[in-house]
Amino acid sequence: MTPDQLRTFCLSFNDAVEDFPFGPETSVFKVAGKMFALSALDARPFTVNLKCDPEIALRLRAEHPAIAPGWHMNKRHWNTVTVPGLPDRLVRELIEDSYDLVVAGLPKATRLRLDRP
């Protein structure tokens, strides 16, 4: 997955926006004002921080060397994913799971508006 493909995929979700609160080099993808992905899209290696259920995060880290505790994030709830080290399909699933976790924490009215009960 290329940085442009990651950006396009993140922005394909309902109400997803790209923001730059940490400077122009760091893309932050949000839904309803809450972050679900963070990446310096031009950095090498190309990584993205994604929210993850803590139990699943531990399993993913054990199974995939390209998945590590979130850099500069709450390491219990966030993973840093080295994108070139994983199949595109898995990266897409991890992004979607991150988005869904964030949406699940939103008020019910917002979840229903996003079509994600």
Side-chain angles (χ1 to χ4, degrees):
M1 176 177 285
T2 67
D4 285 338
Q5 290 170 327
L6 185 132
R7 173 184 280 126
T8 300
F9 188 68
C10 286
L11 293 174
S12 72
F13 295 105
N14 290 343
D15 203 35
V17 297
E18 183 177 18
D19 194 10
F20 299 92
F22 306 117
E25 67 284 343
T26 305
S27 292
V28 176
F29 298 95
K30 297 179 177 181
V31 56
K34 303 289 184 179
M35 180 170 54
F36 69 93
L38 168 108
S39 179
L41 295 174
D42 60 353
R44 297 299 169 258
F46 173 39
T47 63
V48 60
N49 285 355
L50 299 169
K51 193 162 188 160
C52 190
D53 176 87
E55 290 179 24
I56 295 171
L58 292 174
R59 180 179 52 80
L60 288 167
R61 294 171 194 166
E63 292 174 3
H64 303 280
I67 300 177
W71 188 69
H72 283 295
M73 306 293 280
N74 179 326
K75 293 176 184 1
R76 184 165 185 255
H77 295 278
W78 289 84
N79 284 330
T80 295
V81 176
T82 302
V83 177
L86 296 170
D88 286 0
R89 191 179 112 234
L90 177 57
V91 174
R92 282 184 173 84
E93 288 173 6
L94 295 172
I95 293 168
E96 185 171 8
D97 289 349
S98 181
Y99 175 87
D100 287 343
L101 266 175
V102 172
V103 169
L106 297 173
K108 184 176 182 180
T110 304
R111 288 193 317 266
L112 292 173
R113 180 179 56 79
L114 295 172
D115 223 8
R116 299 260 188 183

